[in-house]
Amino acid sequence: TGELTVEDPDLPNDTKADAWLLSGEPGRVLVVDLVSQDFDAYLYSLTSGAEEYASDDDSAGSCNSRLRVTLGDDGTRLVVASSLGYGLGEYRIRVGDRAGPTEPGYCGGQQGDIR
């Protein structure tokens, strides 16, 4: 779990961000979900050179993000939790070999379904 706050670093688009380093067997494919009821989640995955590898807005349904990422040759991948717009608040990162369970999503107070 984590929280986007005004003290977090800014991305080039002026949104706040938290970075998480995933590690495991090189080449392993993981599913990463960014789930928040406080803001419209936006998830990035970066290469070891800090270049954008992939990004997602709503693939986990409602206002939640989901990426399938492949761990690099060194067995790591950096993912960045952020928001679409300027949202702040609590979030959860789920990491597994397959997509996580569905649950209701609220996206800053607006109810929706995660599919």
Side-chain angles (χ1 to χ4, degrees):
T1 61
E3 184 175 5
L4 291 179
T5 69
V6 295
E7 289 84 24
D8 286 325
D10 289 325
L11 292 177
N13 64 3
D14 292 327
T15 60
K16 299 299 182 179
D18 287 338
W20 296 81
L21 185 64
L22 306 178
S23 62
E25 182 180 334
R28 182 177 178 190
V29 177
L30 297 171
V31 177
V32 183
D33 290 349
L34 173 58
V35 177
S36 177
Q37 294 183 358
D38 293 337
F39 57 85
D40 188 355
Y42 203 90
L43 186 62
Y44 297 89
S45 174
L46 305 178
T47 67
S48 58
E51 295 178 10
E52 187 175 321
Y53 174 76
S55 63
D56 182 74
D57 181 17
D58 293 332
S59 288
S62 187
C63 294
N64 300 299
S65 303
R66 176 174 289 153
L67 286 175
R68 291 187 192 287
V69 299
T70 303
L71 298 180
D73 292 340
D74 63 354
T76 66
R77 178 69 64 198
L78 188 65
V79 295
V80 178
S82 187
S83 65
L84 188 65
Y86 303 99
L88 301 173
E90 295 180 357
Y91 65 85
R92 289 180 296 131
I93 296 276
R94 296 187 302 213
V95 180
D97 294 320
R98 57 188 164 175
T102 60
E103 60 184 82
Y106 292 93
C107 188
Q110 297 182 7
Q111 186 170 0
D113 292 324
I114 301 172
R115 300 175 203 275

